[in-house]
Amino acid sequence: MSAPLIWTLVLLALVVAVGLYLSWTAGRLDRLHARIDAARAALDAQLLRRASVAQELATSGVLDPAASIVLYEAAHAARQAEEEHREVAESELSQALRAVFEDSAQVEAVREAPGGDAAAGELTEAVRRVPMARRFHNDAVGAARRLREHRKVRWFRLAGHAPFPLAFEMDDEPPAAVVERAA
């Protein structure tokens, strides 16, 4: 075998190895973007569930009128918010939930009503699942961002035309009285 042929084969093997590595990295990035989409869908479902439960409680007649209005308006705004205002609307719903259920007397009033145990249980589950869903989403976003910041991803444009992933930042602290009662 001649030297030029050997160098050609070595160069070809190197190009194939780099191509395989870049292909693997692009596939990994694609899987991360799919994970972000799935986590965002789960987060949206949990936020919708929390807003629905809050609206149900607000219209149930169990809460005092002022608390019902505050809770209903915040839940309605969260459900109707456009994407660019969603984080703020969801944070306001969290604040309304904490304001309405700041003491355990309000939670007890809900539990004493007919079907109240189920409603309070749904509220507890809804306010517990939102932070978890948000954390999963933001973890996926962080992993994709870290990979997209690598030079090889930028230089070879492995992300394609996928938008840069954004974390979902909101106030998701649950009402203390709801969480205490469930614990």
Side-chain angles (χ1 to χ4, degrees):
M1 253 182 174
S2 66
L5 182 60
I6 292 174
W7 284 112
T8 303
L9 290 176
V10 168
L11 184 61
L12 183 62
L14 184 64
V15 168
V16 168
V18 168
L20 286 173
Y21 177 69
L22 291 175
S23 176
W24 176 80
T25 303
R28 182 171 166 228
L29 189 57
D30 187 51
R31 288 188 300 277
L32 283 171
H33 281 124
R35 191 171 124 204
I36 290 170
D37 291 342
R40 181 58 190 242
L43 175 61
D44 287 341
Q46 293 305 321
L47 292 171
L48 181 62
R49 180 176 182 222
R50 182 180 75 151
S52 297
V53 169
Q55 276 187 320
E56 275 184 40
L57 284 172
T59 58
S60 68
V62 175
L63 304 174
D64 64 84
S68 292
I69 290 171
V70 167
L71 195 56
Y72 183 83
E73 287 180 354
H76 181 72
R79 289 183 76 174
Q80 301 298 318
E82 293 180 19
E83 194 59 37
E84 61 269 7
H85 303 292
R86 183 102 186 262
E87 293 171 349
V88 173
E90 294 294 346
S91 293
E92 288 173 355
L93 177 55
S94 294
Q95 293 165 3
L97 283 165
R98 282 196 308 272
V100 170
F101 295 106
E102 69 183 323
D103 62 2
S104 56
Q106 196 73 281
V107 177
E108 289 304 318
V110 169
R111 287 192 182 279
E112 290 171 1
D117 275 335
E122 274 190 66
L123 177 65
T124 301
E125 286 301 310
V127 298
R128 280 186 171 177
R129 288 182 179 178
V130 166
M132 285 188 291
R134 189 174 74 85
R135 196 170 315 119
F136 288 143
H137 175 267
N138 288 350
D139 287 348
V141 166
R145 281 179 157 185
R146 283 188 297 279
L147 184 57
R148 285 181 71 150
E149 289 171 357
H150 287 207
R151 271 180 268 174
K152 66 182 175 239
V153 173
R154 290 192 321 263
W155 287 352
F156 292 101
R157 299 177 191 253
L158 298 181
H161 297 290
F164 195 75
L166 299 174
F168 194 86
E169 298 300 332
M170 64 172 271
D171 172 7
D172 60 5
E173 184 181 335
V178 172
V179 176
E180 285 173 5
R181 178 75 169 113

